[in-house]
Amino acid sequence: MAGEPVLQLQDVHAGYGEIRILKGVSFAIEPGTVTSVIGANGAGKSTLLKTIFGMVQASDGAIRLDGRDVTGLKSEERLQRGIAIVPQGRCNFPLMSVQENLELGAFIRRDGDIKADIEAMYGLFSSLDAKRKVIAGNLSGGEQQMLEIAMALMTRPRVMLLDEPSLGLSPRMLDYVFSSIRDLARGHGTAILMVEQNAVQALRISDRGIVIELGRVSHQGSGVEMLSEPDVRRAYLGLPADRNAP
Amino acid sequence: MELLLNQLINGLTAGSEYALIAAGLALIFGVLEVVNFAHGEFYMLSSYYLYLLMTRYNLPYVVAVPLVIVAMILSGVIFYYLVIRRVLSRSWQLQLIATLALSIVMVNTAIVLSGPVPKYLESPLNSQIVQIGMASISVQRLVVLAATAISFATLYAVLKYTRIGKAMRAVAQNREAAAAVGISVEKVGLATVVAGCALAGVAGALISPLYTIHPGMAALVIIKAFAAVIVGGFGNVTGAVLAAFLIGLLEALVTTVLPSEYADAFVFGGMILVLLVRPHGLFGRVARS
Amino acid sequence: MRPTARRVGVVPICLSALLAAGAAFAQAKPVKVGLSSAFSGHVGFIGADARRGIELAIEELKTANTAVAYELSIADDECTPAGGATAFRRLMDVQQVDVIIGSGCSGATLGGMPTLMDGKLSAVTYGSTNPKITEGAGVGGNPYMWRMNLNDTIIGETFAAFIAKDGVKSAHILAVNNDFGRGAAGVYQALLPKNDVKVNGADFFSQGASDLRALISKIAARSPDAILLFGEPPDCALMARQKREMNLKAKIFSRGGCYTDESLKLMGDPRLGDGLTEAAYWARTPDQPMVEAYRKRHGDYPPYNAALAYYAMMTVDQAVRKAGPSRDGITKGLAQVDWKSAIGPIKFDANHQARPDLFMVRIENGEQKVIETISNAR
């Protein structure tokens, strides 16, 4: 767990117009790790991801990528520097083929390796390989989720933000998605920050957990620590406070 | 037979006028989800540009036409930054008020600047008449048909093969996903509005010499263009263009067999019928753009 | 004959009375005249034209007659029935005018007429030709509506006979789909057969329609001797151009302003109008001083709306002299008007219809030419 953080937030405030949602969030994540953000509905989890990506502008505080301040940058510029996002809900181009979607995933790139990277994605997500020409809207929910993660990976991100990757997936598909996420972090060295309703399962594959409460970080620790923290278990995991209780 | 051929040509030329305007309307709605109630006024604006270039600066028609398109591209840029960009992520009510207000401002500015008296521009191609079979048609009208075909082929190619075209389709299909892959909605919005204005510019520069130019000239055309956009499946450019030609042909046909005052009733009755059977329009489920 | 000349003679006679009445009368608040016409939309030019005509008349009256001053207010009726009702109401209640001139459009006049009853306010139309206005005015029920210009029935009787005399055996009617066009079409559908001219059919186009090709194709297929066109100058210009494009041979007879300078200008090449004949309730005849006066002021010959509105304003002034400047006085005065104007006698009958001259105007070598002036006085 030692090493330089890839992403660092320091006292970040953000919101929509007059409504303040994040009221001073600070944490850091390291390369090759998975971090889960949990919290009640409306606590500001999605806003947190959007603020890191620049879809919502921080009104105060600093966001640093590899030690460099990106707080004032636009989304496209953050994407260029290595922050990618898979927003909540369907996030592909439903009337374009899998191939076209992956090409658009590399929209900001102008190098010659795009074709090779697309082939690499087909290697990584074999279920997409057979469906290169299929319209994205006709894929299953799990396949679409895979496609969206693959699209985000096309920018070769240093940090990937996932908003509810398990939403609407069957339990079997969910296991597959979570294990893929863990493998991605380990294999590619990508830092993954995800917001997840399935908090228990998310924490199991996470290196760290962060609890957001009323726009602030209330608890943080390793995934295992979070799973045994009584307040967190009771309030967010739907488990009894004492892990040894019946 | 002669009458039918004549009416076919009449329907197609009326259809091109509706289609060039409907395409821009559908494009702007499809990509940006903004209903541009001022779109017809851009047709009017381009006609006045043509008038200005030909009468004030005495430019010949063939020189003035490309300049009108350039002027319309610049007007599109101004329109985007002045109006559309400011309302892009606001409520539809606000967008409606903004574009409707612009429409009123443009019509009345035209009345103030040029007076309400209609103007006429002579294109040299107006008086060159050719015979196609039994039908008699001016070269200007043939140019309109050809230019419409070229405009749509260009639009199709841009949307299908260019980087900005792909980005436009991406924004149309999923704006959030487009933002996530780094497509700047602002730049796409600019390109879309400019493309829509350029299409209206083609319409104004080529069609207005056939008719007369006046501040309210878009009023009747824009209603048909809206009908085409609705029948074509709101936001579906191909659908809107096909529906526009369908409306033009239907009008010519109805006029032939019935007293002409029923033509509009048939067009709009047909529109209601289509919406009853297919609430998303004729081409509502086909790919946007 | 010339109104200005007559008025100069009147002034000295009135002078002593004026002095006796004191400056109060001379400086009494001006007579408020309201103009209801279209100032916006695609026929918005007719309101601007009428306004210039009235302003010219007021200017001339000011130099000739110090007793009564006129002040003009305008209201936009958009040439529609609803617009007419609103504009008349606005002039009556908000602007508090003493008389309305207008509307220039039949639809707006018909829409505005009923509101006159509420304010006991008279309106003089100078350009509406729909016969319904005459039928409903005076003994027809509305004592406040007056028409200075000829209506379509009077014009129609003369024009239908003229068309028959011109050798036409069959005709097709093409008219703008509004009160003017529909009214005129009805009149000629009845009158032409009485003159042994067969009417093949009647078609209507929307006001401001840009393309008449589909209609012309249909009409051409039935090859009538003549087309009767009822429309505004832009429609006439469109017709002339599309007639050339489609090589249509039928003669054109028109109402609504096809012979006018603006129509010829809109044709691009005015010779496209050659052969067109219009029965005009106003034309540029040499014995009208207002034509040159207008040209001096505006650089152009007066459009028919300007000229007719000018004569309407002069008619109002005639009424004011007869019975005073109040709403009531003007209504009483209009009934007594008996004025030999430069466009024929202005005297209202029981239906408040005046009968000035009718002008047959033909386009020859791209220029309008009055081929016949017909008196309608009974």
Side-chain angles (χ1 to χ4, degrees):
Chain A
M1 282 292 150
E4 283 299 301
V6 59
L7 180 74
Q8 196 176 14
L9 273 73
Q10 200 170 22
D11 194 29
V12 169
H13 290 70
Y16 304 93
E18 294 289 297
I19 307 158
R20 288 174 56 221
I21 309 248
L22 301 184
K23 299 165 187 166
V25 174
S26 303
F27 64 84
I29 61 176
E30 286 162 18
T33 61
V34 177
T35 307
S36 285
V37 180
I38 58 178
N41 281 336
K45 292 170 293 176
S46 290
T47 307
L48 174 65
L49 296 194
K50 285 180 180 168
T51 308
I52 296 171
F53 189 63
M55 283 170 157
V56 174
Q57 284 299 321
S59 55
D60 206 356
I63 301 166
R64 289 194 195 88
L65 184 71
D66 287 325
R68 281 159 64 189
D69 195 345
V70 296
T71 322
L73 299 185
K74 288 187 192 168
S75 295
E76 296 105 84
E77 291 164 318
R78 295 188 201 196
L79 196 60
Q80 293 274 13
R81 303 220 177 165
I83 302 177
I85 191 168
V86 181
Q88 191 179 338
R90 285 282 70 92
C91 185
N92 54 51
F93 305 110
L95 302 175
M96 295 190 207
S97 68
V98 168
Q99 176 79 18
E100 282 178 297
N101 267 279
L102 290 173
E103 282 167 11
L104 278 172
F107 188 81
I108 56 158
R109 286 174 55 183
R110 289 174 183 274
D111 57 276
D113 299 339
I114 295 173
K115 283 218 161 74
D117 277 10
I118 290 177
E119 290 307 318
M121 289 304 143
Y122 287 137
L124 202 59
F125 304 102
S126 52
S127 63
L128 296 178
D129 193 12
K131 302 193 169 175
R132 294 177 184 221
K133 300 221 157 136
V134 174
I135 299 289
N138 290 344
L139 299 176
S140 72
E143 286 166 343
Q144 290 194 38
Q145 193 65 57
M146 288 297 111
L147 173 63
E148 286 158 19
I149 292 172
M151 284 164 70
L153 284 172
M154 284 301 296
T155 58
R156 297 177 172 176
R158 306 266 294 122
V159 175
M160 187 145 89
L161 312 168
L162 299 179
D163 199 347
E164 303 281 358
S166 75
L167 201 73
L169 299 186
S170 66
R172 227 187 69 214
M173 218 41 231
L174 193 142
D175 285 342
Y176 175 60
V177 168
F178 277 163
S179 65
S180 304
I181 288 170
R182 195 180 48 210
D183 295 347
L184 269 177
R186 303 274 186 277
H188 284 66
T190 310
I192 292 176
L193 181 66
M194 76 175 162
V195 165
E196 192 39 73
Q197 284 291 324
N198 277 310
V200 178
Q201 268 168 294
L203 285 173
R204 277 191 190 129
I205 59 142
S206 294
D207 300 295
R208 291 188 67 76
I210 294 172
V211 178
I212 299 275
E213 215 172 72
L214 298 172
R216 288 192 182 85
V217 176
S218 65
H219 297 79
Q220 57 178 314
S222 72
V224 183
E225 281 166 11
M226 287 290 115
L227 282 168
S228 53
E229 168 72 44
D231 288 350
V232 176
R233 284 173 66 84
R234 200 174 40 236
Y236 300 109
L237 305 181
L239 300 172
D242 182 355
R243 67 182 308 168
N244 300 317
Chain B
M1 241 351 261
E2 180 197 346
L3 180 59
L4 210 64
L5 178 66
N6 250 320
Q7 295 297 36
L8 188 72
I9 292 171
N10 298 339
L12 285 177
T13 49
S16 337
E17 187 186 10
Y18 304 152
L20 283 168
I21 294 165
L25 206 56
L27 193 67
I28 292 173
F29 180 79
V31 176
L32 301 179
E33 287 176 19
V34 175
V35 181
N36 180 17
F37 283 96
H39 200 68
E41 275 57 54
F42 283 91
Y43 169 55
M44 183 268 293
L45 179 67
S46 68
S47 306
Y48 273 99
Y49 280 149
L50 184 70
Y51 181 80
L52 200 70
L53 290 170
M54 287 179 67
T55 56
R56 180 74 55 85
Y57 300 103
N58 291 315
L59 296 178
Y61 182 65
V62 285
V63 178
V65 169
L67 289 178
V68 168
I69 308 296
V70 172
M72 285 306 289
I73 287 171
L74 295 177
S75 305
V77 173
I78 294 168
F79 171 48
Y80 179 73
Y81 283 108
L82 213 60
V83 181
I84 295 294
R85 196 176 71 128
R86 290 159 197 267
V87 297
L88 205 51
S89 48
R90 308 292 287 272
S91 68
W92 64 265
Q93 291 95 330
L94 207 82
Q95 297 173 348
L96 184 150
I97 298 292
T99 59
L100 202 59
L102 180 69
S103 154
I104 294 166
V105 167
M106 285 175 80
V107 170
N108 287 288
T109 307
I111 293 176
V112 169
L113 291 183
S114 82
V117 184
K119 315 254 188 256
Y120 174 66
L121 278 177
E122 179 82 298
S123 149
L125 307 175
N126 257 358
S127 48
Q128 293 176 30
I129 318 284
V130 292
Q131 290 286 327
I132 300 175
M134 300 290 281
S136 172
I137 185 168
S138 72
V139 175
Q140 182 72 24
R141 213 170 277 272
L142 292 176
V143 168
V144 169
L145 287 174
T148 307
I150 292 168
S151 301
F152 290 139
T154 310
L155 180 65
Y156 181 83
V158 165
L159 288 176
K160 186 85 184 167
Y161 302 112
T162 66
R163 186 175 156 82
I164 189 73
K166 283 178 187 169
M168 280 159 79
R169 281 191 294 146
V171 172
Q173 290 176 26
N174 191 335
R175 199 186 288 188
E176 197 174 27
V181 299
I183 294 171
S184 157
V185 177
E186 276 205 9
K187 283 181 196 154
V188 167
L190 177 64
T192 307
V193 170
V194 164
C197 286
L199 286 170
V202 172
L206 296 177
I207 297 174
S208 62
L210 289 172
Y211 308 141
T212 41
I213 299 168
H214 56 96
M217 63 188 282
L220 285 178
V221 182
I222 196 72
I223 294 174
K224 305 286 167 57
F226 265 110
V229 169
I230 292 166
V231 169
F234 230 93
N236 180 335
V237 176
T238 318
V241 168
L242 291 177
F245 280 105
L246 215 62
I247 289 172
L249 288 170
L250 187 68
E251 274 181 339
L253 214 69
V254 170
T255 301
T256 313
V257 292
L258 287 175
S260 49
E261 63 267 36
Y262 296 115
D264 280 353
F266 264 81
V267 167
F268 291 105
M271 182 184 93
I272 292 167
L273 207 69
V274 165
L275 291 180
L276 283 177
V277 182
R278 296 192 59 117
H280 298 289
L282 277 182
F283 309 93
R285 280 177 211 163
V286 185
R288 268 183 180 173
S289 314
Chain C
M1 269 302 282
R2 291 169 53 177
T4 42
R6 253 176 58 140
R7 211 165 299 112
V8 173
V10 170
V11 172
I13 303 162
C14 295
L15 210 55
S16 54
L18 268 178
L19 288 171
F25 184 74
Q27 285 167 10
K29 62 182 170 100
V31 178
K32 291 178 109 180
V33 177
L35 167 64
S36 169
S37 193
F39 288 89
S40 62
H42 53 272
V43 287
F45 58 92
I46 70 173
D49 289 347
R51 178 186 194 157
R52 288 176 167 187
I54 294 173
E55 283 171 350
L56 174 67
I58 290 176
E59 198 61 34
E60 287 183 2
L61 289 169
K62 197 197 257 170
T63 34
N65 182 354
T66 50
V68 185
Y70 293 98
E71 186 186 285
L72 181 64
S73 310
I74 60 166
D76 182 5
D77 62 32
E78 297 165 349
C79 227
T80 63
T86 312
F88 276 38
R89 174 76 57 190
R90 186 188 158 86
L91 290 170
M92 186 166 81
D93 295 342
V94 182
Q95 310 284 355
Q96 297 273 332
V97 300
D98 301 304
V99 63
I100 291 176
I101 294 179
S103 166
C105 301
S106 291
T109 303
L110 286 165
M113 264 173 83
T115 62
L116 297 172
M117 310 282 273
D118 296 343
K120 298 188 169 28
L121 172 69
S122 274
V124 182
T125 178
Y126 57 88
S128 311
T129 56
N130 192 312
K132 277 192 227 160
I133 298 167
T134 314
E135 287 157 20
V139 293
N142 188 327
Y144 303 104
M145 189 70 227
W146 308 78
R147 168 149 50 194
M148 185 212 75
N149 59 287
L150 296 172
N151 71 36
D152 282 324
T153 311
I154 304 170
I155 298 171
E157 281 160 5
T158 314
F159 200 22
F162 182 90
I163 291 167
K165 208 175 71 188
D166 212 49
V168 173
K169 297 273 172 259
S170 63
H172 196 112
I173 292 169
L174 182 56
V176 58
N177 195 6
N178 62 15
D179 280 304
F180 157 64
R182 288 207 162 263
V187 167
Y188 289 87
Q189 272 171 316
L191 288 174
L192 285 171
K194 284 185 194 162
N195 289 277
D196 298 320
V197 179
K198 185 171 166 277
V199 178
N200 286 352
D203 274 289
F204 298 89
F205 56 89
S206 306
Q207 201 163 33
S210 51
D211 200 346
L212 299 175
R213 267 188 66 109
L215 279 170
I216 296 174
S217 297
K218 173 185 177 179
I219 294 171
R222 300 182 187 182
S223 42
D225 293 343
I227 294 175
L228 262 68
L229 177 64
F230 305 122
E232 297 288 336
D235 308 320
C236 305
L238 199 62
M239 174 75 190
R241 275 185 272 134
Q242 301 198 338
K243 179 174 178 265
R244 166 186 64 180
E245 186 182 348
M246 303 180 70
N247 198 23
L248 183 72
K249 294 291 179 219
K251 288 184 185 175
I252 310 251
F253 293 92
S254 66
R255 293 267 315 103
C258 289
Y259 70 101
T260 55
D261 294 324
E262 59 259 47
S263 169
L264 294 175
K265 205 154 81 186
L266 288 174
M267 285 176 195
D269 177 1
R271 273 169 307 198
L272 291 181
D274 279 4
L276 177 146
T277 311
E278 171 143 333
Y281 48 19
W282 185 77
R284 214 165 56 216
T285 49
D287 49 353
Q288 296 180 64
M290 69 84 52
V291 171
E292 275 311 313
Y294 186 96
R295 197 151 91 115
K296 213 172 275 169
R297 246 172 110 101
H298 298 293
D300 269 325
Y301 285 120
Y304 70 95
N305 271 300
L308 287 166
Y310 168 92
Y311 289 111
M313 182 60 226
M314 289 304 188
T315 305
V316 165
D317 181 59
Q318 291 287 325
V320 170
R321 287 147 185 270
K322 296 276 184 202
S326 64
R327 285 186 182 183
D328 192 42
I330 291 173
T331 302
K332 289 201 176 98
L334 281 166
Q336 301 167 36
V337 167
D338 186 359
W339 175 42
K340 299 266 175 294
S341 82
I343 54 167
I346 305 290
K347 183 174 195 242
F348 297 99
D349 67 13
N351 281 89
H352 293 184
Q353 174 70 55
R355 290 174 165 265
D357 297 339
L358 178 67
F359 306 92
M360 290 296 167
V361 190
R362 184 164 284 172
I363 310 297
E364 288 175 5
N365 293 318
E367 283 178 16
Q368 49 171 284
K369 196 177 160 198
V370 178
I371 55 172
E372 205 176 333
T373 301
I374 301 169
S375 170
N376 298 284
R378 285 184 186 160

